[in-house]
Amino acid sequence: MSYFMRLNYVYNSRYYLTFTGRLDGSSRFGTTNKWGTFPSIAGSWNITQEEFMKNQHIFDNLRLRTGYGLAGNQNIPNYGYMTIYSPRASLGTSVLANGGTYGNSDLHWETQKQFNLGLDVSILKNRINLTVDLFHIINDGLLMTRSMPASSGYLYKLDNVGTLENKGLEISLNVNVVKTQDFNWNFILNFSSD
């Protein structure tokens, strides 16, 4: 179950703000960790709409963007926090052993925290478009299936394990090389660095 809210604010076609809030509930987690709250905020500045840019003839679009937000991951089996019994028999013996998953009542949402800073540039009547993005992403409380020792009587346990960090630069260049009534030729170049 999810609740979603978004609020947009625009001032004079120059300044843009977006507030977003998500409240997500999942039965894959126990009652104390069922709900996750994931807010975000983003803004942009349309520089070409400023008074000091009115008489320039270089930029068709010049926009600076930034944003920060949280997102949740619940990609585990249904009722993943519960102990699940799966009796199984070993070959050559009549002894039954449990082969299920050991429950974890502390299991909670994996959370992604993402920051982004970007620039959009268009020139020559939007024939050349450049987008540059710097990003920093941290995934916290990674959901992972861990192997259990055979002596426990279980095969696996779901757990929140560790943190993963990713940051880098992405550049995209789109050039409309030829544009006629009968023929279009676009050139696209993408670059990414972690």
Side-chain angles (χ1 to χ4, degrees):
M1 180 181 288
S2 295
Y3 298 95
F4 178 83
M5 179 204 70
R6 175 171 288 163
L7 176 65
N8 292 314
Y9 176 76
V10 179
Y11 177 75
N12 206 20
S13 298
R14 286 183 286 182
Y15 309 111
Y16 298 78
L17 274 177
T18 299
F19 300 93
T20 304
R22 285 187 66 104
L23 182 63
D24 294 331
S26 174
S27 58
R28 296 180 179 186
F29 305 107
T31 53
T32 56
N33 296 315
K34 178 182 284 189
W35 293 94
T37 305
F38 307 107
S40 69
I41 183 171
S44 68
W45 176 27
N46 189 351
I47 303 170
T48 48
Q49 293 296 316
E50 294 288 350
E51 286 297 322
F52 62 84
M53 295 289 284
K54 292 293 185 184
N55 296 321
Q56 62 85 29
H57 303 287
I58 298 172
F59 298 102
D60 301 307
N61 181 41
L62 183 60
R63 184 183 298 265
L64 186 63
R65 299 175 283 103
T66 188
Y68 177 79
L70 307 181
N73 176 21
Q74 56 146 359
N75 193 17
I76 58 174
N78 291 329
Y79 308 103
Y81 70 98
M82 298 177 76
T83 297
I84 298 174
Y85 297 99
S86 300
R88 61 182 175 87
S90 300
L91 290 175
T93 179
S94 60
V95 177
L96 289 174
N98 183 33
T101 304
Y102 185 73
N104 181 358
S105 60
D106 294 326
L107 200 64
H108 59 82
W109 287 83
E110 177 182 322
T111 303
Q112 182 182 89
K113 305 168 187 176
Q114 181 170 348
F115 171 76
N116 185 75
L117 180 64
L119 178 69
D120 300 320
V121 180
S122 298
I123 60 175
L124 300 178
K125 296 182 179 178
N126 295 310
R127 296 280 296 271
I128 299 177
N129 298 282
L130 175 69
T131 300
V132 180
D133 281 293
L134 287 167
F135 62 89
H136 187 194
I137 302 170
I138 297 175
N139 289 298
D140 193 29
L142 295 171
L143 290 167
M144 188 175 116
T145 302
R146 299 171 62 180
S147 297
M148 296 284 288
S151 59
S152 70
Y154 297 91
L155 293 177
Y156 307 106
K157 176 184 178 183
L158 288 166
D159 211 347
N160 295 98
V161 181
T163 299
L164 179 66
E165 182 179 21
N166 187 11
K167 54 187 173 181
L169 169 70
E170 292 181 348
I171 300 174
S172 177
L173 178 65
N174 188 335
V175 180
N176 190 206
V177 181
V178 178
K179 185 177 182 180
T180 66
Q181 185 176 357
D182 300 318
F183 180 73
N184 277 337
W185 175 22
N186 287 330
F187 171 80
I188 300 173
L189 177 66
N190 291 310
F191 170 82
S192 180
S193 174
D194 293 345

